[in-house]
Amino acid sequence: MENEEDISIKYEVRDAVLKESENIFVKCETSQEARETMAETGARIEKIANRVLESKGKTYKAKAVWGRETYPERTYDHITLPA
């Protein structure tokens, strides 16, 4: 079970990754180009995430993994996120 601090850090990591990598796929015109770009940017995304974790005093590291994921419907307080 995640506590409020864990959730807050998760959002900070997400925001940092999105901010610094928002233009990663702009020049991709094919799915093959997108796959190649993903392979090339994994280390960069890990560095961004790990920088946030380190700034929060965490000793664990993030790992960028590309793939298709499925998640169940989740409810947080009064917000429900679809599967």
Side-chain angles (χ1 to χ4, degrees):
M1 187 91 178
E2 292 179 316
N3 62 36
E4 298 228 4
E5 179 188 19
D6 293 334
I7 294 169
S8 175
I9 291 170
K10 185 187 294 187
Y11 286 140
E12 285 187 52
V13 167
R14 178 204 61 193
D15 292 346
V17 168
L18 288 174
K19 180 180 179 195
E20 293 194 37
S21 62
E22 63 186 4
N23 295 317
I24 287 176
F25 299 104
V26 183
K27 295 181 182 178
C28 296
E29 294 183 12
T30 67
S31 60
Q32 181 60 33
E33 288 176 348
R35 281 191 288 277
E36 290 169 4
T37 299
M38 285 188 288
E40 295 166 2
T41 60
R44 174 179 163 201
I45 289 172
E46 284 179 12
K47 286 179 186 178
I48 295 165
N50 287 324
R51 187 172 48 226
V52 173
L53 294 173
E54 185 178 310
S55 77
K56 297 298 178 184
K58 300 301 176 186
T59 57
Y60 53 84
K61 301 289 184 186
K63 177 76 177 153
V65 178
W66 298 101
R68 203 173 278 248
E69 297 282 335
T70 57
Y71 298 95
E73 181 177 280
R74 295 275 177 133
T75 300
Y76 301 97
D77 293 327
H78 61 282
I79 298 172
T80 299
L81 302 174

